[in-house]
């Protein structure tokens, strides 16, 4: 009997040693009590029990291990808090993590579809808590991972999207308050219908839409662009669809938070100030409100009012628009006629909602246009990817929903219109503005060239044409001998026409001396008294040498 206290003492000492020694892994023989923690190998993240904000409830969660401000990035039992510090976490032989209360009841549990043989739970330095077979470091074979169940926070490596093979959706939901991590009414998902895009829901209704991915960014989030802090990526293949972010420098602390307001926040830890910095945020103005201007409307935050109809459309219910209620949207001025429709290009905008869209990654823009023309329900088209001159095809059907101006966006959309509504007069089935511009340039160049040549010819003829009024004076003539080797020059004075008109009293008959074969001869008295004889050549005369 004396050995029993010794065994109990040794067992308690063993537990104390185990909990006092930092470790990133637990097995089926170990437990985590309130006050114990496990720490990732690099010390970046820590798992244990905590109370958020002013709350006295206890939650199992993961937080940053190296910063002064306790900041949770994941909560296990967000819907079932503990009322005291009696909580215990253990790993079952089947590979399930379970959270027990004081009475031994399970209040939270992980799940697995694959029975385990020798499971362990490990907190990785990425912040991911995984249940796996001991010794197997292939995370794709893990039995369960916390990254599949985000809360209100995304950390580098987490995904928002869908596992196509398993049907699992990765999404974020806001906390009810800073003191209560239970699910709020704001959810961020990747809509899998049509061409996938990120969507915020408020009470299951669309609140904000990020716009489709264009190869560089989401067309409705131009502020999310290449930067020195993080890299973003959109992946779509036969296994999964997701959006994720990674840090350029993995030693920094970075998180994306979905608060109860719905204003997505990118937050960076600043070591010098020991505080979190709001790096950037989405949903910055009223035009971010989903479908604020209704169907076929467009929002421009610098306009007043902010809503207008797309060109070629008019308010469906004008009296509602007069009251700044734009929800009824816009309708076409002229109904489409499938046999003669064309397209109007619109640039610098957020692309419309893509739930009712179709896409193809291998088409070029011309093939995309022709595909749209062949389907009378197709209302618009664009490139799927705007990089390297553009590639792929994205088509819309029915109304165009939730558009706004973003002048920094490089993507063009081509909206189907009746030919009569097009700027070029509506040539049937075509609205190829690039060809029109080329024709204008060629025509302008040719016209300018012809005009220049014509002016040169007129100037040449004008210089060669004899003057209507000629003056012949006795004086210098240049003669060439018959053998072309001798020239004789005489002195010949020059007078302008005004001087001669004045000298002859404007060729008055009273000054007329006579008339020969080439025209009349007048007496000319110059201002210095010198008298001259002036012959005024007739129109048909020619000067002979």
């Amino acid at each position: 009997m004396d050995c029993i206290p010794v065994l109990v003492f040794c067992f308690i000492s063993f537990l104390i040693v185990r909990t006092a020694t930092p470790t990133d892994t637990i097995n089926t023989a170990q437990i985590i009590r309130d006050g114990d923690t496990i720490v990732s190998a690099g010390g970046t993240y820590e798992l244990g029990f905590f109370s958020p904000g002013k709350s006295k409830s206890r939650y199992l969660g993961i937080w940053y291990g190296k910063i002064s401000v306790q900041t949770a990035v994941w909560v296990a039992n967000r819907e079932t808090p503990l009322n005291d510090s009696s909580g215990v976490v253990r790993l079952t032989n089947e590979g399930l993590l379970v959270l027990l209360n004081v009475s031994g009841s399970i209040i939270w549990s992980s799940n697995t579809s694959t029975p385990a043989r020798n499971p362990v739970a490990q907190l990785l330095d990425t912040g991911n808590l995984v249940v796996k077979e001991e010794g197997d470091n292939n995370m794709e074979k893990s039995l369960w991972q916390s990254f599949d169940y985000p809360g209100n926070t995304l950390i580098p490596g987490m995904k928002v999207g869908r596992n196509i093979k398993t049907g699992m959706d990765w999404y974020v939901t806001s906390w009810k308050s800073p003191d209560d991590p239970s699910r709020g009414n704001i959810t961020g998902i990747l809509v899998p219908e049509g061409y996938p895009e990120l969507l915020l829901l408020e009470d299951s209704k669309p609140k904000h839409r990020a716009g489709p991915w264009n190869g560089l960014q989401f067309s409705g989030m131009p502020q999310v662009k290449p930067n020195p802090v993080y890299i973003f990526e959109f992946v779509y293949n036969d296994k999964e669809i997701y959006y994720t972010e990674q840090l350029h420098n993995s030693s920094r602390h970075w998180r994306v938070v979905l608060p109860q307001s719905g204003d997505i926040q990118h937050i960076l830890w600043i070591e010098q100030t020991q505080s979190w910095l709001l790096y950037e945020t989405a949903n910055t103005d009223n035009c971010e409100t989903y479908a604020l201007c209704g169907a076929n409307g467009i929002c421009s935050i610098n306009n007043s009012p902010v809503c207008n109809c797309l060109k070629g459309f008019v308010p469906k219910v004008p009296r509602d628009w007069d009251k700044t209620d734009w929800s009824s949207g816009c309708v076409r001025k002229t109904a489409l006629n499938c046999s003669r429709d064309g397209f109007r290009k619109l640039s610098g905008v957020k692309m419309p909602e893509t739930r009712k869209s179709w896409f193809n990654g291998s088409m070029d823009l011309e093939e995309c246009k022709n595909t749209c023309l062949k389907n009378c329900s197709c209302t618009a088209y664009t490139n799927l990817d705007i990089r390297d001159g553009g590639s792929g095809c994205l088509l819309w059907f029915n109304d165009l929903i939730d558009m706004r101006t973003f002048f920094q966006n490089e993507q063009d959309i081509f909206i189907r219109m009746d030919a009569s509504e097009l700027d070029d007069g509506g040539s049937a089935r075509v609205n190829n503005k690039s060809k029109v511009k080329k024709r204008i340039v060629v025509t302008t160049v040719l016209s300018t060239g012809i005009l220049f040549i014509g002016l040169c010819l007129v100037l040449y003829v004008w210089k060669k044409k004899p003057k209507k009024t000629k003056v012949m004076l006795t004086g210098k003539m240049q003669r060439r001998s018959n053998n072309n080797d001798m020239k004789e020059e005489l002195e010949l004075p020059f007078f302008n026409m005004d001087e001669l008109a004045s000298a002859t009293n404007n060729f008055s008959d009273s000054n007329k001396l006579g008339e020969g074969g080439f025209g009349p001869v007048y007496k000319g008295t110059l201002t210095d008294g010198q008298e001259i004889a002036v012959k005024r050549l007739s129109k048909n005369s020619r000067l002979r040498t």
Side-chain angles (χ1 to χ4, degrees):
M1 295 294 294
D2 293 338
C3 66
I4 293 178
V6 174
L7 291 174
V8 171
F9 175 78
C10 291
F11 178 73
I12 294 174
S13 300
F14 173 77
L15 286 179
I16 293 173
V17 170
R18 293 293 296 175
T19 56
T21 303
T23 180
D24 64 352
T25 305
I26 63 169
N27 56 34
T28 56
Q30 298 168 293
I31 61 174
I32 301 175
R33 299 183 182 276
D34 195 324
D36 300 336
T37 63
I38 61 173
V39 180
S40 65
T44 306
Y45 293 96
E46 193 169 350
L47 179 142
F49 291 89
F50 77 107
S51 295
K54 298 177 181 178
S55 174
K56 294 182 180 179
S57 298
R58 302 294 286 173
Y59 298 87
L60 177 67
I62 299 172
W63 58 87
Y64 292 98
K66 290 183 176 181
I67 67 174
S68 57
V69 180
Q70 188 181 56
T71 305
V73 297
W74 182 79
V75 180
N77 57 319
R78 60 186 302 189
E79 302 295 337
T80 53
L82 289 160
N83 297 323
D84 52 39
S85 58
S86 62
V88 174
V89 179
R90 62 181 295 263
L91 181 65
T92 69
N93 292 329
E94 291 77 21
L96 299 178
L97 274 173
V98 293
L99 174 58
L100 310 174
N101 61 14
V102 67
S103 63
S105 299
I106 297 176
I107 64 169
W108 174 84
S109 173
S110 67
N111 54 37
T112 181
S113 58
T114 305
R117 297 186 301 274
N118 189 23
V120 294
Q122 182 180 14
L123 178 62
L124 305 179
D125 220 33
T126 60
N128 193 9
L129 176 64
V130 297
V131 177
K132 60 175 187 171
E133 293 289 351
E134 186 174 18
D136 188 351
N137 293 322
N138 185 349
M139 291 302 103
E140 292 187 1
K141 294 182 180 179
S142 62
L143 305 175
W144 178 89
Q145 59 179 351
S146 62
F147 270 20
D148 284 339
Y149 305 91
N152 73 333
T153 301
L154 296 175
I155 56 177
M158 277 186 169
K159 303 173 181 178
V160 175
R162 170 174 288 186
N163 185 319
I164 296 175
K165 290 197 170 182
T166 65
M168 171 173 281
D169 288 317
W170 304 299
Y171 58 91
V172 291
T173 52
S174 63
W175 288 13
K176 280 188 176 179
S177 75
D179 306 323
D180 184 357
S182 61
R183 294 176 186 271
N185 64 342
I186 307 293
T187 304
I189 64 172
L190 187 70
V191 180
E193 292 88 9
Y195 186 59
E197 60 178 327
L198 292 175
L199 184 68
L200 280 188
L201 303 174
E202 183 174 20
D203 296 323
S204 300
K205 297 179 181 179
K207 176 181 174 66
H208 165 69
R209 189 179 60 88
W213 184 261
N214 61 21
L216 295 175
Q217 61 195 127
F218 293 109
S219 74
M221 297 178 66
Q223 70 273 26
V224 179
K225 54 190 174 183
N227 62 83
V229 177
Y230 68 98
I231 306 167
F232 48 86
E233 184 180 18
F234 178 70
V235 174
Y236 192 170
N237 55 43
D238 58 351
K239 295 181 180 179
E240 53 191 356
I241 316 166
Y242 65 87
Y243 173 80
T244 189
E245 295 179 357
Q246 299 285 357
L247 285 168
H248 284 290
N249 183 349
S250 59
S251 65
R252 306 186 80 172
H253 301 307
W254 174 260
R255 59 196 175 108
V256 182
V257 178
L258 178 61
Q260 186 58 21
S261 66
D263 297 334
I264 301 172
Q265 300 171 342
H266 287 74
I267 306 176
L268 178 66
W269 177 255
I270 305 300
E271 195 66 33
Q272 292 85 345
T273 61
Q274 289 291 294
S275 62
W276 290 103
L277 170 71
L278 179 60
Y279 185 81
E280 62 190 9
T281 184
N283 315 348
T284 53
D285 58 51
N286 198 34
C287 281
E288 293 299 309
T289 304
Y290 173 81
L292 179 68
C293 302
N296 307 309
I298 186 165
C299 191
S300 301
I301 197 61
N302 294 324
N303 289 352
S304 182
V306 294
C307 284
N308 281 292
C309 291
L310 291 169
K311 190 174 181 181
F313 294 78
V314 293
K316 183 177 182 180
V317 186
R319 64 178 179 274
D320 288 347
W321 278 64
D322 292 340
K323 299 174 184 177
T324 65
D325 177 4
W326 309 294
S327 58
S328 57
C330 306
V331 293
R332 294 180 181 274
K333 288 182 182 178
T334 307
L336 293 176
N337 184 329
C338 194
S339 64
R340 62 171 192 171
D341 295 335
F343 296 94
R344 172 178 288 126
K345 185 172 80 169
L346 185 61
S347 304
V349 296
K350 174 183 179 179
M351 296 293 111
E353 182 181 63
T354 55
R355 285 195 185 207
K356 295 181 180 179
S357 66
W358 176 91
F359 64 97
N360 180 295
S362 61
M363 286 183 176
D364 60 29
L365 198 60
E366 186 68 18
E367 292 172 321
C368 189
K369 180 188 75 173
N370 292 333
T371 302
C372 187
L373 281 172
K374 291 175 184 176
N375 189 322
C376 295
S377 298
C378 179
T379 52
Y381 73 93
T382 188
N383 274 135
L384 195 67
D385 192 323
I386 65 173
R387 293 174 297 179
D388 302 322
S391 63
C393 177
L394 177 59
L395 304 182
W396 282 267
F397 301 89
N398 302 319
D399 291 325
L400 304 176
I401 306 293
D402 191 40
M403 296 183 71
R404 69 164 296 175
T405 56
F406 270 135
F407 296 112
Q408 59 268 55
N409 275 5
E410 301 175 16
Q411 192 168 11
D412 299 326
I413 183 172
F414 299 84
I415 300 175
R416 191 177 199 137
M417 305 296 297
D418 181 76
S420 63
E421 291 288 341
L422 299 177
D423 297 333
D424 63 357
S427 55
R429 318 265 305 171
V430 179
N431 185 25
N432 195 329
K433 290 189 176 181
S434 64
K435 291 183 179 179
V436 173
K437 289 181 179 179
K438 287 180 181 178
R439 287 199 296 268
I440 291 172
V441 170
V442 171
T443 302
T444 303
V445 170
L446 288 176
S447 300
T448 303
I450 292 171
L451 180 61
F452 178 77
I453 293 171
L455 288 173
C456 290
L457 288 174
V458 170
L459 183 61
Y460 176 81
V461 171
W462 180 81
K463 285 188 173 182
K464 290 293 184 180
K465 186 177 179 181
K467 303 299 182 184
K468 289 184 179 181
T469 303
K470 298 287 184 179
V471 177
M472 188 174 189
L473 302 179
T474 303
K476 184 182 83 170
M477 290 293 292
Q478 189 177 74
R479 297 180 179 177
R480 188 179 300 272
S481 66
N482 291 335
N483 60 8
N484 294 324
D485 60 355
M486 181 182 295
K487 292 182 180 179
E488 179 183 0
E489 288 190 357
L490 302 174
E491 291 298 323
L492 181 66
F494 290 91
F495 303 94
N496 61 43
M497 196 63 185
D498 289 338
E499 289 175 309
L500 297 177
S502 176
T504 61
N505 194 20
N506 201 21
F507 299 98
S508 170
D509 287 341
S510 62
N511 284 25
K512 189 173 181 180
L513 298 177
E515 188 165 354
F518 291 102
V521 179
Y522 296 87
K523 177 182 178 181
T525 304
L526 301 176
T527 55
D528 61 357
Q530 181 183 0
E531 291 186 350
I532 60 174
V534 179
K535 179 181 281 286
R536 186 176 186 181
L537 300 179
S538 65
K539 179 186 292 188
N540 297 324
S541 65
R542 293 289 186 269
L543 182 63
R544 297 176 181 174
T545 60

